[in-house]
Amino acid sequence: MNDTHDFLKKFGLSEKAIELGEKYEKELEERFKKIDETAEYNQLKVIKAMQDNRLSDIHFASSTGYGYNDIGRETLESVYASIFNTEDALVRPQITCGTHALTIALSAILRPGDELLSPVGKPYDTLEGVIGIHPSTGSLAEFGITYRQVNLLPDGGFDYEGIKAAINEKTKLVTIQRSKGYQTRPTLSVERIGELISFIKSIKPGVAVMVDNCYGEFVEKIEPSDVGADMCVGSLIKNPGGGLVASGGYIAGKKEYIEKCAYRLTAPGLGKEVGATLGINQSMFQGLFLAPTVVASALKGAIFAARIFENLGYPCIPNGTEERYDIIQAVTLGSAEKLIAFCGGIQAASPVDSFVVPEGWAMPGYTSDVIMAAGNFIQGSSIELSADGPITEPYAVYFQGGLTWYHAKLGILSALDRVLKL
Ligand SMILES: *Cc1c(COP(=O)(O)O)cnc(C)c1O
């Protein structure tokens, strides 16, 4: 017996859970090698971007007040533009979350009378209020911006006929969500996003295409902006923050669009020129530097969990063998007890708040209680190991993250152990 095996027992794990983990980890060696290979490529991409932009420790300095001439902030935005292969980028702690970043991009481009199109079905929950799919104060709908949606076909394919019919003279912006989020549709590969963009631009060349890139960054060697997206948008407490960034979001894209986004974020005329960085520049760079390996750790955890749980008979989306294009894993546990046990296991394995017992609560906007587990360094950071699910049929847990593979593994074994003990 090796030392790690014994140490895992100190977390209260049963022999059975530890042995299952060892078995499936062994089986996943080849798969993990492929993930490491992508991580290495992306690590090189990040280092090259930092070198090409002559990153230096002067860029870690802080600014206050208006934040004029913050060369750290400007260099960070150039580094993002290099990585995403775009003309420019807006990367700011003043962007409060992913929804905010997406809202900035939408309202920067769209004007009264314009129409927004989602050709990949319903967007992420929080965007429904932003767009005005259901009435909401301040929504795009209130400003006279209309919305059209074309659902994916039952097999997950694009409804090209429907998309062609939906594009009209008012269509100004197309929004494509890369990750399935908390739906059951497949996550889109960057390659498929590229095919969809080509099709859309063949019908209406001038239309702007925005990709909601949340949870997708660094999962593949290319990003949507490499295949024609005019803007890629995401959150810094997810993949590209590498777990170190305390708050922020990014938009990488064409110069004319980034300029509009900056005018929307700050004020017309001010744009990118203002925005104090308050001491966070260094963590923005360092988190980005770590992000490719952090994403690899999260991916390994997701695949490890899918392998184990599907072999125990629990349906997993994605399953243990298919390709991955984001870091989210869903496991259908089938009972409230198991869902609560799973989340309890993730929480107990956390570095922070391991002694807390998660319970379901009536979260605003949900019809059933929702349980959440996260023992995070950064509040709400979902690149850190975290799990949640509504306590209702089919009792599916959604989990993601893991700053290191070893922590992701411990969390999953701990969740497994508690489910096995029921
Ligand atoms: C997380 C996420 C968002 C934005 O969420 P925030 O919680 O506002 O950061 C948007 N779209 C997708 C697909 C996401 O995963």
Side-chain angles (χ1 to χ4, degrees), residues 120 122-125 152 177-189 212-216 302 316-319 322-331 397-400:
V120 296
K122 189 183 91 61
Y124 197 71
D125 277 7
L152 293 173
Q177 185 178 308
R178 178 172 173 181
S179 168
K180 65 189 166 305
Y182 301 116
Q183 291 173 265
T184 46
R185 69 136 164 114
T187 286
L188 304 175
S189 67
D212 174 350
N213 210 22
C214 283
Y215 287 133
C316 292
I317 302 176
N319 67 35
E322 66 191 280
E323 278 299 314
R324 302 264 158 168
Y325 308 114
D326 69 11
I327 63 168
I328 301 178
Q329 181 64 50
V331 181
V397 69
Y398 296 87
F399 81 91
Q400 63 274 313

Side-chain angles (χ1 to χ4, degrees), residues 218-235:
F218 300 125
V219 173
E220 298 180 66
K221 290 180 182 172
I222 50 171
E223 298 294 338
S225 39
D226 289 309
V227 295
D230 298 302
M231 286 182 288
C232 276
V233 184
S235 164

Side-chain angles (χ1 to χ4, degrees), residues 254-313:
K254 274 200 177 132
K255 200 167 189 61
E256 62 167 304
Y257 297 135
I258 296 302
E259 191 172 28
K260 287 184 169 168
C261 289
Y263 288 150
R264 178 58 61 186
L265 170 67
T266 65
L270 301 183
K272 290 183 85 180
E273 302 299 318
V274 294
T277 50
L278 309 169
I280 55 93
N281 280 344
Q282 190 242 350
S283 72
M284 293 278 211
F285 286 112
Q286 199 171 357
L288 181 62
F289 175 76
L290 293 177
T293 48
V294 169
V295 169
S297 299
L299 275 174
K300 287 177 185 175
I303 293 166
F304 180 66
R307 247 319 158 75
I308 293 180
F309 279 89
E310 78 185 0
N311 276 290
L312 292 172

